Amino acid sequence: MSESKTFNKKLKKETAWSFATKGITFPLFFALNILLARTMGPDLFGTWSYFYSYFSILLLFSYFGVRASTKFLAEYNGTEYLGEIINKVVQLRILASTLFAIFAFAIAEPLAELIKRPEFTPYFRWSSLMIFFLSFTEFLKGAFQGLHRIRYNFVVNCLEHGTKLLLVAVALYCGAGFIGIIQAIAIAGAIATVFCTFLLYSNFFVKGKSFGEEPIMTRIIKYSIPLMMISIGFLIATEIDTLMLGMLTTDKEVGLYSIAKQLITKLPHISMAIAMGSMPIFAKMNKDNVKKLRQHFRRLLMVNAGLFGFIILAILLTSPFFIPLIYGADYAAAVLPLRILCAYLLCATFLSYFNSFLDYRGLAKRRMYNLFFSTLVNIGLNYALIPKYGATGAAIATSISYFPYLMLNIWETRQSFKQAELALD
């Protein structure tokens, strides 16, 4: 079989597993949130969403090193150093998850007081367990992605989201409050962590060459810092609307907005599924393959445009019917924010490819600066629009602020391709 055919076959296989992963994750994620929304009602669901937005930011801090681990595993995959890299990234993950879990527990009360929600103190304390295990499952997803074994990524997601849904349903049936829900999610993360760590070592670890005196851990940590800042910046950019709604309006307004936001922020995972199977090859772009990879990248963007053009049209036309049908009549006011957030959705889907490209090319710091600028725009617009327009204002602010981030990352990607092509001359 020719090298080109082998290349295309591998891409198709990895992309198919990526879609299978998202195909199982989507219904499980939405089933969990529909269960929570219908059981709690808009006000209590808004309270949960407000708490979970703060938790999500804490969780992103704990992701330190996840994306760097993906890059280094992709870079050394197939070499005699792979076993050593697996050991190093697992050691970094254990350390980071432990430290950030302790940090979350320690700041629980001060954070709850700072946001004027003292009742959140026990929730933040118990969330330290979620932080440890969910950050570990996120690491495992990235590890299998970097190793080009997306089928194992499928296993992680099935275990994590499947057990979440099951255990949270049991907790709600037993009348458990927020703490019971948090405990159920932590247990689900623990199950996925233990089983999939076993998969990682039993299928990929082979004792090989050591890096010796080479500071490989230092390299991983150094590359982790801009990636962590990007992740935090991205989450702040996507969660700032919920946080500011909670501070400036009511929990009910947060609950209505969260329905729209959950759908819109999960749909880009379709693009991520394609990128998951297609983008690791850009870690090894060189003068010999740059033209072929550029053509491949353009095809990905064309597919994305056609696919999400259809999805966005469907949302605009059908949202007045499916939102009340699925979530209940109390959530009908979520339709307008959902429609407005379609502009954000279009930007986010293309960003899946541009962000992934820059990360694999070692240009994470560039997009960190771009995201920082976009976040400042987002905060300013939210302050201006939320007090008057509530959830609708938050949707407008989020949608507008992502456009400059997309444009700046497109420019960085073009520059990277140009530099690689100049090496041919």
Side-chain angles (χ1 to χ4, degrees), residues 343-385:
Y344 157 82
L345 173 61
L346 189 62
C347 290
T349 58
F350 282 105
L351 279 166
S352 297
Y353 301 102
F354 290 104
N355 290 351
S356 186
F357 175 87
L358 294 174
D359 287 351
Y360 279 112
R361 298 304 304 151
L363 299 171
K365 189 178 291 185
R366 301 277 183 86
R367 75 178 186 94
M368 177 180 71
Y369 297 141
N370 298 342
L371 180 60
F372 178 73
F373 171 74
S374 178
T375 303
L376 291 179
V377 174
N378 197 2
I379 292 172
L381 289 172
N382 273 302
Y383 266 118
L385 298 173

Side-chain angles (χ1 to χ4, degrees), residues 48-66:
W48 168 259
S49 300
Y50 188 44
F51 154 74
Y52 206 84
S53 291
Y54 281 103
F55 163 75
S56 296
I57 294 175
L58 293 174
L59 181 63
L60 251 293
F61 274 99
S62 71
Y63 282 178
F64 181 85
V66 167

Side-chain angles (χ1 to χ4, degrees), residues 201-216:
Y201 272 88
S202 62
N203 288 278
F204 301 101
F205 179 80
V206 177
K207 190 172 178 60
K209 286 186 178 181
S210 171
F211 287 95
E213 297 299 320
E214 183 182 347
I216 187 66

Side-chain angles (χ1 to χ4, degrees), residues 117-187:
R117 291 293 186 98
E119 69 274 17
F120 284 4
T121 297
Y123 310 153
F124 285 130
R125 284 177 177 159
W126 278 103
S127 72
S128 60
L129 288 176
M130 286 200 298
I131 284 173
F132 182 88
F133 291 115
L134 295 186
S135 64
F136 220 110
T137 59
E138 194 66 24
F139 156 74
L140 290 164
K141 294 172 191 176
F144 293 133
Q145 179 180 339
L147 292 166
H148 297 270
R149 294 295 186 274
I150 308 301
R151 64 179 180 271
Y152 293 115
N153 199 290
F154 174 83
V155 174
V156 182
N157 279 278
C158 283
L159 275 176
E160 179 191 355
H161 292 282
T163 51
K164 269 185 190 178
L165 177 60
L166 175 62
L167 295 176
V168 169
V170 171
L172 290 172
Y173 179 78
C174 295
F178 282 7
I179 290 177
I181 296 171
I182 292 168
Q183 291 169 338
I185 294 173
I187 293 170

Side-chain angles (χ1 to χ4, degrees), residues 89-369:
V89 296
V90 169
Q91 290 168 15
L92 178 61
R93 173 51 25 214
I94 292 172
L95 178 63
S97 294
T98 301
L99 290 177
F100 283 107
I102 293 171
F103 173 75
F105 187 89
I107 67 164
E109 186 172 357
L111 177 59
E113 293 293 338
L114 179 66
I115 64 175
K116 299 180 180 179
R117 291 293 186 98
E119 69 274 17
F120 284 4
T121 297
Y123 310 153
F124 285 130
R125 284 177 177 159
W126 278 103
S127 72
S128 60
L129 288 176
M130 286 200 298
I131 284 173
F132 182 88
F133 291 115
L134 295 186
S135 64
F136 220 110
T137 59
E138 194 66 24
F139 156 74
L140 290 164
K141 294 172 191 176
F144 293 133
Q145 179 180 339
L147 292 166
H148 297 270
R149 294 295 186 274
I150 308 301
R151 64 179 180 271
Y152 293 115
N153 199 290
F154 174 83
V155 174
V156 182
N157 279 278
C158 283
L159 275 176
E160 179 191 355
H161 292 282
T163 51
K164 269 185 190 178
L165 177 60
L166 175 62
L167 295 176
V168 169
V170 171
L172 290 172
Y173 179 78
C174 295
F178 282 7
I179 290 177
I181 296 171
I182 292 168
Q183 291 169 338
I185 294 173
I187 293 170
I191 293 170
T193 295
V194 172
F195 184 78
C196 294
T197 300
F198 169 77
L199 284 182
L200 176 65
Y201 272 88
S202 62
N203 288 278
F204 301 101
F205 179 80
V206 177
K207 190 172 178 60
K209 286 186 178 181
S210 171
F211 287 95
E213 297 299 320
E214 183 182 347
I216 187 66
M217 184 67 89
T218 302
R219 285 176 57 198
I220 297 172
I221 292 173
K222 284 180 67 176
Y223 196 63
S224 296
I225 293 172
L227 287 173
M228 183 184 74
M229 297 305 295
I230 288 168
S231 296
I232 294 168
F234 174 77
L235 193 67
I236 291 174
T238 54
E239 293 296 334
I240 194 67
D241 44 11
T242 304
L243 299 181
M244 294 179 71
L245 274 170
M247 289 186 289
L248 300 173
T249 59
T250 64
D251 284 354
K252 182 177 181 179
E253 198 77 8
V254 175
L256 294 172
Y257 183 70
S258 294
I259 295 299
K261 183 178 175 181
Q262 284 171 359
L263 176 62
I264 290 296
T265 56
K266 288 302 175 183
L267 282 173
H269 282 247
I270 299 173
S271 296
M272 292 178 191
I274 301 174
M276 191 187 301
S278 304
M279 299 306 294
I281 57 175
F282 288 91
K284 297 180 181 180
M285 188 172 75
N286 53 53
K287 64 180 183 180
D288 298 320
N289 63 15
V290 59
K291 288 186 176 180
K292 181 179 180 180
L293 290 181
R294 185 162 196 165
Q295 291 174 354
H296 174 64
F297 191 75
R298 286 173 174 169
R299 284 196 296 269
L300 290 175
L301 297 181
M302 290 174 64
V303 169
N304 188 75
L307 176 63
F308 278 92
F310 174 78
I311 290 174
I312 288 172
L313 180 62
I315 291 173
L316 293 174
L317 293 175
T318 65
S319 54
F321 306 100
F322 75 77
I323 289 294
L325 176 66
I326 295 173
Y327 290 95
D330 290 341
Y331 292 95
V335 171
L336 180 57
L338 175 62
R339 285 174 160 176
I340 294 170
L341 283 171
C342 285
Y344 157 82
L345 173 61
L346 189 62
C347 290
T349 58
F350 282 105
L351 279 166
S352 297
Y353 301 102
F354 290 104
N355 290 351
S356 186
F357 175 87
L358 294 174
D359 287 351
Y360 279 112
R361 298 304 304 151
L363 299 171
K365 189 178 291 185
R366 301 277 183 86
R367 75 178 186 94
M368 177 180 71
Y369 297 141

Side-chain angles (χ1 to χ4, degrees), residues 31-41 45 48 168 172 181:
L32 175 59
N33 282 279
I34 291 168
L35 175 66
L36 290 170
R38 294 188 75 100
T39 303
M40 294 178 174
F45 183 66
W48 168 259
V168 169
L172 290 172
I181 296 171

